Amino acid sequence: MAENQPSRAKTALRRELLAARRALSDDALRTAARALSRSALALPELAGARTVAAYVSIGSEPGTRELLDALRAAGKDVLLPVLLPDNDLDWAAYEGPGSLAGVAHPGKMRLLEPAGPRLGPDAVSGADAVLLPGLAVDRRGMRLGRGGGSYDRVLERLERAGAHPALVVLLYDDEVVARVPEEPHDHPVRAVATPSGVVRFSS
């Protein structure tokens, strides 16, 4: 089946954004991760959350490891995803860096996943805030993901459950853009945290 126009535009934009991330130096990645953690922790939605669904960054993604430890140190319950064979996500608790295990999924980058008991895909519905990976967010709060569909399923699951956690995307500064291509299944987010601060939306 041929890609529709928004889908083709997303593919081209993803390629451009991923190339920019790959060009970042190790020092730039470390500096951005520290600043991103400070920005995200300043969000009232995270400060007031009891449970935060987050993720472990890989490669040149905006770094989350420092943020995960800071959330846990602040007494939050932190849930991390476990990728299932059909690209859906199960969840397990983050119990510190030693609770993560490297997992090789066929055809994908090696992921760091929590090694503890699985809580089921519906566990995300109990989160007060959900941190979403992405490649860009536009000024309307529309998010461009990587195209795997895992987080589209998460957002659909939250909607079916009538759950309304704060949706926050973690990005680099130049990934907040004027507009991203939009499809009917896309959901707006409440805020984006970048190394230089927070951008909020009305959703």
Side-chain angles (χ1 to χ4, degrees):
M1 182 183 296
E3 287 185 306
N4 59 31
Q5 187 170 349
S7 181
R8 286 197 301 272
K10 283 183 174 183
T11 299
L13 184 54
R14 284 187 185 109
R15 190 178 302 118
E16 176 185 331
L17 292 164
L18 287 168
R21 285 186 175 184
R22 286 193 296 269
L24 293 170
S25 69
D26 289 344
D27 282 346
L29 293 173
R30 283 191 293 270
T31 300
R34 286 193 296 271
L36 178 63
S37 178
R38 290 193 296 270
S39 294
L41 290 170
L43 278 164
E45 290 88 349
L46 290 190
R50 296 179 308 277
T51 302
V52 178
Y55 62 96
V56 183
S57 56
I58 57 170
S60 57
E61 284 186 318
T64 63
R65 301 288 290 276
E66 187 170 326
L67 176 58
L68 296 179
D69 290 333
L71 289 169
R72 189 164 173 266
K76 318 291 183 189
D77 292 327
V78 179
L79 303 180
L80 294 179
V82 178
L83 186 65
L84 298 172
D86 64 355
N87 269 0
D88 205 348
L89 298 178
D90 202 336
W91 299 87
Y94 177 56
E95 302 292 352
S99 70
L100 299 176
V103 180
H105 293 279
K108 300 182 184 301
M109 290 181 68
R110 188 174 180 83
L111 302 179
L112 283 172
E113 296 182 344
R118 304 299 187 250
L119 303 174
D122 289 331
V124 69
S125 301
D128 302 298
V130 178
L131 302 181
L132 302 170
L135 290 172
V137 168
D138 70 19
R139 294 294 175 178
R140 303 167 300 157
M142 300 307 296
R143 164 184 163 271
L144 177 69
R146 294 189 72 135
S150 296
Y151 278 88
D152 290 332
R153 295 193 192 190
V154 169
L155 295 174
E156 289 166 8
R157 183 168 285 115
L158 292 171
E159 189 170 4
R160 286 197 307 271
H164 302 285
L167 303 177
V168 180
V169 183
L170 307 178
L171 297 175
Y172 295 111
D173 293 325
D174 57 2
E175 293 171 345
V176 181
V177 300
R179 196 171 185 94
V180 299
E182 179 186 347
E183 295 180 274
H185 62 265
D186 292 329
H187 295 252
V189 301
R190 184 176 299 179
V192 55
T194 75
S196 67
V198 169
V199 180
R200 305 185 69 86
F201 310 103
S202 59
S203 62

